[in-house]
Amino acid sequence: MMKILFLGALSTASLYFAQTYPVSTIPENLKKNASAVIRRDFTTAYINKVDEIKYQYNTVTTVLNKDGNEKAMVYIPYDKTRTVSNVKVTVYDETGKKLKSFSKSDFSDYANNPQGVFYSDNRVLVFSYTPVQYPYTIDFSFESEDKNTIFIPDFVPFTSTNTSLEEGQFKIINTSGIDLRSKVYPSKYNYASVSEHINGNEKIYSYKDIPAIEDAVLIPQPVKILPKVSFALTKFNLAGRQGTLNSWTDFGTWYYKNLIEPVAVSTPAIKAEVAALNLQGSVEEKVKKIYQYMQSKTRYIYVGLGIGGWLPMMPEEVYKKGYGDCKGLTNYMKTLLDEAGIPSYYCVINSGLSSVSFDPEFPRMGGNHAILMVPAENGNIWLENTSQQTAFNHLGNSTTDRNVLSVKKNGIELIDTPIYKAEQNREKQILTIKIGEDNSITGEGHFSYTGSQYDYNLSFTNLNSKERNEALKKTFDVLNFEKVEMKNYVNDRDKAVITFDADFKTNHFAKNAGNSLIFRAVPIYSDNVYKADENRSLPFEIRQSFEDDYEIGFSIPKGYKIDEVPDNININSEFGYYKLNVVKNGEEIKVLRKIQINKGAFPKEKYNEYVGFRKKIINMDNSKILITKI
């Protein structure tokens, strides 16, 4: 009897500690590179009918240090069709001792849009705990009932670096009679795997003991490293509109009928504003004139109303109010083009720094942004409608090199957005510099940017003169400006080119060496630090290709002669190339410097080779010119 009681006591203790998650039970390999460990991430989804899914969520996260605090914040989205109940939060200390419990009343309630919001049905409950010591553990659970069955979340281990997972499970119990499609996307790098168990109408997917992805240099985003499982019902509901999702064709037909056609409504006022533009010339010329007109009279404000937040604003409303979100502004632009007799297509896209495309073989609802595509004689015209400053037919880093769902009356067509080559993502610098005997330099520069480098410099547009000078000073901080003045800033929205001039002065550029002065051959260069990593465990990704082309003219002081200049060099690699040519001409020196970096994903074994390539470039940019007093 005593033996049975003793075993019972052990079982009770084991159950207690299993529920309270002492930090001591975390495997050491899950602590490595981790600021937070997800101890348990369990979701059960009950698909009851076409317009009802019930979810049960339970997530337990141990925060190891202050960098993990954000990863333990609790976010619970809801709206008119999605209710939340049984919200519970419990905080434990390092040993698993309970510190405090919280309920739904302890949550803050916000509009669910990170960019700020004007109108929205989408809300989010947020709970943030302020710790008094580390580590600590947050155990939270809640239940949710959703009438919208078009969205079933992907099952992924985690979404950020420096996070590990002890155990994760996604269980779906489908009693609706509707076919549930699922697809497992394995890790491209064999970083982790998902187990799958199917028994009748029940599907269970799980992960176990997945170590953290270190936030290393040039690491691909976790979405490109980890496995995931996607789901889609073949029959769905969105805000009372039911449809089928067996193919991109039938889904596109539903999308057009329910989300595009109802708002494809012009008015006499819109007809009149298009007529007043007096359009002439080619299709491209007409589209440009309409687009730049639209930019001049609208601004971006998020609006998340109507059919789950997916229905665009009516064109008349955008016309009258002068604002809209990506959906409303894209639909308004489409209506303007319709009035001009120019066909265009509303496109849904996954916007983000990491290019993510839709799977042609797995149709499902998705995307987080809308743009417009206009077929033309010289190729598709792409229009980003949320910016008043972006150039015509120019897409930024967050929307290039991926596909879109182009919504047409007879279905969806998957179309690729442009990929900008290195020579299109270009910086051109022309510098004229005078070397002073006091080691200072004064100079003038002309700068030009296209492609992704156009995007990086677009932020200057809305700054005043003083702010531009300060921003330029920070951009070129390697020169340590004494003073700098940006002039003639032009955002050419016809050609997607930004140009400006700059006058500058910096002290202590050159260094004394007896009767000589020594200075860098390349005044403005990248001073990034590249370190070799013999234990690199994952591949690296160069997200953007680019080309920098510099022409630098140095004038030396009178009474000095040119003694030494760097040798010409040409470095070639699969990662790109680098060229440096130096030409002496009397009292002038011309330096021609060109670098091209290629976009791509590369295996971990090549990382140190890439580091070596970039170090060679930095060394050459640091090459010195020697002038001596006669």
Side-chain angles (χ1 to χ4, degrees):
M1 185 67 181
M2 287 297 293
K3 184 177 181 180
I4 294 173
L5 289 173
F6 179 67
L7 290 174
L10 285 178
S11 299
T12 302
S14 298
L15 179 62
Y16 172 79
F17 282 111
Q19 290 175 332
T20 55
Y21 299 94
V23 176
S24 60
T25 63
I26 299 175
E28 286 302 314
N29 69 310
L30 298 187
K31 294 179 182 178
K32 184 180 179 181
N33 299 323
S35 56
V37 180
I38 302 171
R39 315 294 297 280
R40 173 187 173 94
D41 184 9
F42 275 40
T43 299
T44 301
Y46 300 89
I47 305 175
N48 299 325
K49 49 188 178 180
V50 70
D51 59 354
E52 181 182 295
I53 298 183
K54 292 184 178 180
Y55 294 96
Q56 292 178 343
Y57 299 95
N58 178 218
T59 300
V60 181
T61 303
T62 295
V63 177
L64 301 177
N65 52 57
K66 65 179 182 179
D67 294 331
N69 284 333
E70 288 189 5
K71 298 171 185 179
M73 291 182 69
V74 179
Y75 296 90
I76 306 176
Y78 73 96
D79 55 36
K80 292 179 180 179
T81 63
R82 179 170 39 181
T83 59
V84 174
S85 61
N86 295 330
V87 179
K88 298 177 182 178
V89 178
T90 306
V91 181
Y92 300 94
D93 70 7
E94 181 176 3
T95 66
K97 178 183 177 182
K98 179 180 174 180
L99 296 176
K100 196 170 183 180
S101 294
F102 302 89
S103 64
K104 187 177 179 180
S105 61
D106 296 301
F107 282 65
S108 300
D109 193 331
Y110 302 102
N112 190 12
N113 179 49
Q115 298 174 333
V117 64
F118 197 68
Y119 297 120
S120 180
D121 290 329
N122 302 315
R123 308 289 301 177
V124 61
L125 296 171
V126 180
F127 174 80
S128 178
Y129 175 70
T130 303
V132 294
Q133 61 184 19
Y134 297 94
Y136 66 93
T137 298
I138 288 187
D139 180 348
F140 88 91
S141 60
F142 70 97
E143 295 178 6
S144 176
E145 183 173 332
D146 200 340
K147 295 179 180 179
N148 292 334
T149 55
I150 195 170
F151 306 107
I152 299 177
D154 287 339
F155 180 44
V156 296
F158 41 80
T159 58
S160 61
T161 57
N162 303 119
T163 304
S164 61
L165 174 70
E166 200 165 348
E167 185 178 15
Q169 178 182 284
F170 197 106
K171 179 191 291 187
I172 297 182
I173 301 172
N174 180 15
T175 59
S176 67
I178 303 168
D179 184 32
L180 173 70
R181 294 184 294 108
S182 60
K183 185 170 182 177
V184 174
Y185 296 86
S187 167
K188 294 179 181 178
Y189 307 107
N190 297 317
Y191 190 82
S193 61
V194 58
S195 65
E196 179 180 25
H197 177 74
I198 300 176
N199 183 18
N201 61 8
E202 182 175 293
K203 294 184 177 183
I204 301 176
Y205 299 88
S206 57
Y207 300 110
K208 187 82 172 176
D209 293 334
I210 300 179
I213 297 172
E214 183 183 7
D215 190 13
V217 176
L218 299 178
I219 199 79
Q221 291 189 332
V223 68
K224 291 191 173 184
I225 297 173
L226 296 168
K228 75 171 181 178
V229 188
S230 292
F231 309 93
L233 285 169
T234 57
K235 187 177 180 181
F236 64 84
N237 176 70
L238 178 62
R241 273 78 166 176
Q242 295 184 10
T244 56
L245 224 173
N246 293 296
S247 67
W248 287 117
T249 299
D250 59 9
F251 178 56
T253 303
W254 175 89
Y255 200 115
Y256 184 89
K257 181 179 178 181
N258 289 273
L259 299 177
I260 303 300
E261 193 172 52
V263 293
V265 181
S266 187
T267 65
I270 292 175
K271 292 178 186 288
E273 68 175 340
V274 173
L277 293 175
N278 191 26
L279 300 172
Q280 296 179 358
S282 66
V283 169
E284 184 172 336
E285 289 170 328
K286 292 176 181 177
V287 175
K288 183 193 294 184
K289 190 166 187 178
I290 296 172
Y291 176 69
Q292 293 180 348
Y293 163 77
M294 185 275 298
Q295 286 181 300
S296 71
K297 65 164 293 183
T298 60
R299 69 189 191 281
Y300 173 85
I301 292 180
Y302 178 77
V303 180
L305 300 175
I307 310 186
W310 287 79
L311 184 70
M313 292 171 61
M314 294 293 287
E316 182 180 20
E317 192 173 0
V318 178
Y319 167 79
K320 289 180 177 178
K321 296 181 177 179
Y323 62 71
D325 62 6
C326 63
K327 305 183 301 293
L329 295 172
T330 296
N331 182 58
Y332 175 57
M333 181 65 197
K334 185 179 187 305
T335 304
L336 295 174
L337 291 172
D338 287 343
E339 285 297 342
I342 301 172
S344 62
Y345 298 99
Y346 185 98
C347 296
V348 181
I349 192 168
N350 289 302
S351 175
L353 293 180
S354 187
S355 59
V356 176
S357 287
F358 297 97
D359 184 349
E361 299 177 355
F362 193 80
R364 64 189 296 239
M365 185 66 147
N368 58 6
H369 188 50
I371 58 177
L372 201 64
M373 187 273 286
V374 185
E377 297 174 358
N378 298 322
N380 295 333
I381 297 170
W382 296 94
L383 303 177
E384 169 57 64
N385 303 288
T386 59
S387 171
Q388 295 171 297
Q389 307 299 339
T390 294
F392 168 73
N393 196 20
H394 174 81
L395 294 181
N397 299 331
S398 62
T399 49
T400 51
D401 191 17
R402 66 204 72 196
N403 64 19
V404 302
L405 304 182
S406 178
V407 184
K408 302 180 179 181
K409 190 172 185 178
N410 57 352
I412 278 175
E413 182 181 1
L414 276 71
I415 302 175
D416 293 331
T417 60
I419 300 174
Y420 295 148
K421 298 177 182 178
E423 54 267 27
Q424 293 173 293
N425 300 325
R426 190 168 188 261
E427 175 190 24
K428 177 69 176 180
Q429 283 188 22
I430 302 175
L431 304 180
T432 303
I433 294 174
K434 293 180 180 180
I435 304 292
E437 287 191 82
D438 61 354
N439 301 336
S440 70
I441 58 171
T442 56
E444 298 175 350
H446 178 73
F447 302 83
S448 175
Y449 300 92
T450 59
S452 63
Q453 304 220 51
Y454 167 88
D455 298 320
Y456 300 147
N457 288 274
L458 199 57
S459 59
F460 286 117
T461 303
N462 295 320
L463 303 180
N464 60 38
S465 297
K466 183 178 179 181
E467 291 169 335
R468 285 178 179 174
N469 294 340
E470 288 300 315
L472 188 61
K473 195 172 184 178
K474 291 179 181 178
T475 301
F476 296 148
D477 59 354
V478 70
L479 250 186
N480 221 359
F481 288 120
E482 172 74 14
K483 65 177 183 179
V484 63
E485 181 182 3
M486 181 187 290
K487 301 185 298 184
N488 306 321
Y489 178 89
V490 176
N491 172 18
D492 186 337
R493 294 191 296 122
D494 291 339
K495 299 178 181 178
V497 180
I498 283 176
T499 58
F500 60 83
D501 299 321
D503 294 340
F504 57 87
K505 180 181 180 181
T506 185
N507 297 319
H508 313 296
F509 179 74
K511 293 183 178 180
N512 294 104
N515 292 327
S516 302
L517 293 176
I518 301 175
F519 54 90
R520 283 198 315 267
V522 181
I524 299 172
Y525 72 107
S526 170
D527 60 348
N528 291 339
V529 176
Y530 294 90
K531 294 182 178 180
D533 184 357
E534 300 301 331
N535 300 312
R536 183 86 183 192
S537 60
L538 284 169
F540 65 101
E541 179 183 41
I542 303 172
R543 293 182 184 172
Q544 286 293 334
S545 56
F546 67 88
E547 179 180 278
D548 293 345
D549 187 0
Y550 297 177
E551 294 180 16
I552 308 156
F554 289 102
S555 297
I556 67 174
K558 287 187 178 182
Y560 279 77
K561 66 175 182 175
I562 303 168
D563 258 357
E564 295 180 16
V565 298
D567 293 331
N568 294 338
I569 190 167
N570 191 348
I571 304 172
N572 287 293
S573 165
E574 65 178 302
F575 311 116
Y577 67 80
Y578 175 89
K579 295 179 181 179
L580 185 70
N581 295 317
V582 183
V583 180
K584 296 187 292 183
N585 183 17
E587 295 181 350
E588 294 185 348
I589 306 165
K590 177 168 277 191
V591 177
L592 303 176
R593 182 251 198 196
K594 195 169 188 178
I595 178 176
Q596 187 177 104
I597 298 296
N598 299 327
K599 175 180 179 177
F602 301 90
K604 61 183 181 181
E605 292 79 11
K606 289 186 177 288
Y607 179 73
N608 287 341
E609 186 180 335
Y610 177 70
V611 169
F613 172 64
R614 295 308 296 260
K615 282 185 174 180
K616 285 181 182 177
I617 291 172
I618 291 175
N619 288 338
M620 293 313 302
D621 282 345
N622 265 306
S623 296
K624 301 299 190 291
I625 296 172
L626 177 70
I627 61 174
T628 303
K629 200 165 189 178
I630 300 171

